[in-house]
Amino acid sequence: MSNIYKEFDQQELDVQYKAAATVPNMQDFIDDYESLSLVARDTLDCVSDLKFGLSDKETLDLFPVPNSKKAPLFVFIHGGYWRMLSKNESSFMAPNLVNNGIAVASVNYTLAPPANIDQIVAECRRAIKWLYDNSADYKIDRDRIFVGGSSAGGHLTGMMVAGGWHKEYDLPLDVIKGGIPMSGLFDLEPIVKSFVNEWMQMSMEDGQRNSPIKNLPEVGCPLIVAVGGDETNEFRRQSKDFSDLWQSKGWEADYLECQGINHFNAPLELCKPNSKMTQKLLAMVGLKGF
């Protein structure tokens, strides 16, 4: 077979992006996401199913910080290759972060299909717009909004810190003060050429338009670009390349390769008060950490 992307033929490229094949049972981790998120909703103050857009899927769950007058906000965007999961499995980090004084929003978006990549990115940006505009109602500091996500959510995090969209949404260029993309997809060219495009149906132009690495902002916010040490070479390369490019522009990017961590338990590091990921996020927000 001939190479279709870098040194990869079709079979090898697909192997690089089949994250599910890197663990014995992906569902075990999804079950953890779901059970821990249920605990968060049961034990914390939670405002559920807030509508931020026109479609039924454009909703979010918000976990405010009790007794806070103006808390920083962490917006989490779930992964699932843009076609799986929801906000309901995506608030597992809320107990840890709320306990540290950070409000959490878990964002839902329309999955593919029927949604295409442009629609999904637009919906996530509408969530940012809604949270910024309605921050005072939930005692959120709209000048301290941070965003994170895993896998496809890492890609969407990249598109929230990208440039070229703020004027359309009537938002300041620095609406996002920092980001933590985990196992992100920052260049969609290999995705367009992989098995993932069976359901995403992206043209190369779609991929370029929605690649964070191709749509850098005028000024970049601080980033923690995290990836599991047990992930495939391509997932680690994507994160390292994006971190290096960000740094080359003079912007702050902390490349964090979590040793002994895979694609699916990487975001669960945000459940652990003493994990490097939690501590670096706290430092970014300006609360403590290192």
Side-chain angles (χ1 to χ4, degrees):
M1 297 176 69
S2 60
N3 293 349
I4 64 165
Y5 179 76
K6 296 185 181 292
E7 70 274 23
F8 302 114
D9 61 26
Q10 187 66 66
Q11 182 177 358
E12 292 167 335
L13 182 65
D14 287 345
V15 166
Q16 286 293 316
Y17 286 100
K18 282 183 178 174
T22 64
V23 295
N25 187 0
M26 175 184 70
Q27 189 61 43
D28 289 342
F29 299 99
I30 294 175
D31 290 345
D32 287 342
Y33 299 165
E34 186 172 15
S35 61
L36 291 169
S37 296
L38 182 60
V39 169
R41 291 193 298 275
D42 285 347
T43 60
L44 300 174
D45 291 340
C46 177
V47 188
S48 300
D49 300 318
L50 290 165
K51 284 188 65 66
F52 63 81
L54 296 177
S55 77
D56 292 341
K57 300 297 184 182
E58 291 177 78
T59 60
L60 58 85
D61 291 346
L62 186 61
F63 299 82
V65 177
N67 304 316
S68 174
K69 295 181 180 178
K70 214 174 186 183
L73 175 68
F74 179 72
V75 182
F76 186 78
I77 306 173
H78 72 81
Y81 264 145
W82 305 284
R83 70 166 181 170
M84 292 175 56
L85 304 180
S86 72
K87 65 176 178 60
N88 297 333
E89 305 88 23
S90 305
S91 52
F92 42 82
M93 79 299 297
N96 182 32
L97 298 189
V98 169
N99 185 57
N100 279 285
I102 304 173
V104 172
S106 176
V107 174
N108 210 67
Y109 54 85
T110 308
L111 299 177
N116 60 28
I117 194 67
D118 290 308
Q119 179 183 342
I120 292 170
V121 169
E123 289 185 5
C124 292
R125 288 171 173 172
R126 282 198 287 273
I128 301 297
K129 167 68 172 173
W130 188 92
L131 288 162
Y132 182 85
D133 287 348
N134 294 277
S135 57
D137 293 340
Y138 299 96
K139 297 181 180 180
I140 289 167
D141 185 352
R142 72 178 192 175
D143 294 321
R144 288 192 293 168
I145 296 176
F146 300 81
V147 63
S150 177
S151 195
H155 160 262
L156 293 166
T157 297
M159 292 304 291
M160 299 306 104
V161 302
W165 65 278
H166 301 81
K167 184 176 181 180
E168 178 184 352
Y169 291 79
D170 191 27
L171 287 171
L173 295 177
D174 65 346
V175 61
I176 304 298
K177 294 303 190 292
I180 179 165
M182 294 164 262
S183 312
L185 300 161
F186 306 103
D187 181 358
L188 296 188
E189 179 183 349
I191 303 303
V192 172
K193 295 178 177 180
S194 78
F195 72 99
V196 180
N197 219 27
E198 292 172 12
W199 60 84
M200 289 309 298
Q201 296 294 299
M202 287 185 284
S203 68
M204 193 57 68
E205 291 74 17
D206 296 334
Q208 295 286 312
R209 189 171 58 253
N210 289 285
S211 288
I213 209 163
K214 302 290 186 181
N215 295 278
L216 297 179
E218 293 180 27
V219 178
C221 62
L223 295 180
I224 302 160
V225 186
V227 67
D230 291 347
E231 301 204 47
T232 65
N233 291 339
E234 271 293 279
F235 271 103
R236 286 184 284 112
R237 179 196 65 78
Q238 286 248 10
S239 288
K240 188 64 167 64
D241 284 358
F242 189 61
S243 178
D244 289 347
L245 178 61
W246 204 260
Q247 289 178 336
S248 76
K249 300 296 183 180
W251 308 328
E252 182 181 343
D254 186 352
Y255 175 69
L256 176 62
E257 189 168 310
C258 303
Q259 297 307 312
I261 297 298
N262 62 54
H263 186 84
F264 298 97
N265 60 13
L268 295 175
E269 291 294 285
L270 285 179
C271 298
K272 304 174 184 178
N274 296 317
S275 72
K276 283 187 177 180
M277 198 179 294
T278 292
Q279 291 296 307
K280 287 178 180 291
L281 177 58
L282 293 177
M284 175 187 285
V285 174
L287 295 177
K288 51 183 179 179
F290 55 82

